[in-house]
Amino acid sequence: STEIPSYVTKCPSNGLCSRLPPDCMTCNTNYSCVYGKMATFDCKVKPYVHCVDQNNNQQENFTINMTCQFCWQLATTDYVCTNSTSCMTVSCPRQRYNATCTVLDHIHCLGNRVFPKMLYCNWTGGYKWSTALALSITLGGFGADRFYLGQWREGLGKLFSFGGLGIWTLIDVLLIGVGYVGPADGSLYI
């Protein structure tokens, strides 16, 4: 019995060869391509993959046109990356995390289709900036803004000191307004 390779499930049967996902073909490297310019690559379908040309004729060898660039140089809309919720988004300098990115099936590029990338921490815990600012202006003297952001110690300090006799309240309105004070979990505002 012959075992059918796993990539065959990603390959549409009897579709246009030029529209096949990259996993379904092997292409020769075009060493004369210029970065950022369109280039033509000679390709061949992998075993067990069946495709046709424009005239519905069975085809094995064909050419594709694509922009000459490596996969890690693609636009961020052309690949998906793993997310991290353990890093702090509100820190100076802004933290980064190691992500593993995978190119979308219909995108052609040079090099590895799965690559590591350092991305900025960019996640939210559901806190709204407008709510935090409104609480800071109206109930900031009682620490409501700090309680809302999950900063319990600072909230209790403001509550029992009457907002630092008003000074802490004014400073917090300014700090929340410019986005310097954020949620305690390190996430971004919505």
Side-chain angles (χ1 to χ4, degrees):
S1 71
T2 18
E3 188 175 320
I4 297 176
S6 61
Y7 62 80
V8 174
T9 58
K10 295 181 181 179
C11 306
S13 185
N14 293 325
L16 286 175
C17 292
S18 58
R19 299 273 185 198
L20 284 174
D23 290 341
C24 305
M25 64 178 88
T26 53
C27 297
N28 296 331
T29 305
N30 183 347
Y31 292 105
S32 64
C33 76
V34 177
Y35 173 74
K37 303 285 185 192
M38 289 300 285
T40 303
F41 291 82
D42 295 322
C43 300
K44 182 178 182 175
V45 293
K46 288 185 176 179
Y48 301 102
V49 176
H50 304 287
C51 64
V52 294
D53 62 7
Q54 300 287 354
N55 300 324
N56 247 5
N57 297 324
Q58 190 82 21
Q59 193 175 28
E60 281 192 24
N61 298 316
F62 57 96
T63 59
I64 60 166
N65 294 320
M66 69 177 206
T67 305
C68 182
Q69 62 186 352
F70 287 100
C71 294
W72 58 270
Q73 296 172 317
L74 291 170
T76 55
T77 55
D78 293 338
Y79 55 84
V80 291
C81 298
T82 57
N83 289 328
S84 172
T85 57
S86 62
C87 59
M88 300 290 283
T89 59
V90 182
S91 65
C92 189
R94 195 163 163 207
Q95 280 187 349
R96 292 177 178 244
Y97 69 98
N98 289 324
T100 302
C101 301
T102 306
V103 179
L104 299 176
D105 284 341
H106 64 282
I107 304 293
H108 293 278
C109 56
L110 303 173
N112 294 330
R113 298 186 61 77
V114 177
F115 54 92
K117 194 163 192 165
M118 292 289 289
L119 297 176
Y120 284 112
C121 295
N122 191 19
W123 64 283
T124 181
Y127 297 97
K128 291 186 176 180
W129 172 81
S130 57
T131 304
L133 185 61
L135 286 172
S136 184
I137 293 169
T138 58
L139 299 171
F142 301 107
D145 52 350
R146 294 291 185 146
F147 286 123
Y148 171 72
L149 294 173
Q151 300 172 0
W152 296 99
R153 283 183 234 129
E154 292 88 346
L156 288 173
K158 282 180 77 173
L159 178 64
F160 292 122
S161 69
F162 303 107
L165 298 177
I167 297 170
W168 194 352
T169 303
L170 293 174
I171 291 172
D172 268 0
V173 169
L174 179 68
L175 293 178
I176 291 173
V178 297
Y180 185 78
V181 172
D185 62 2
S187 65
L188 293 174
Y189 288 115
I190 294 177

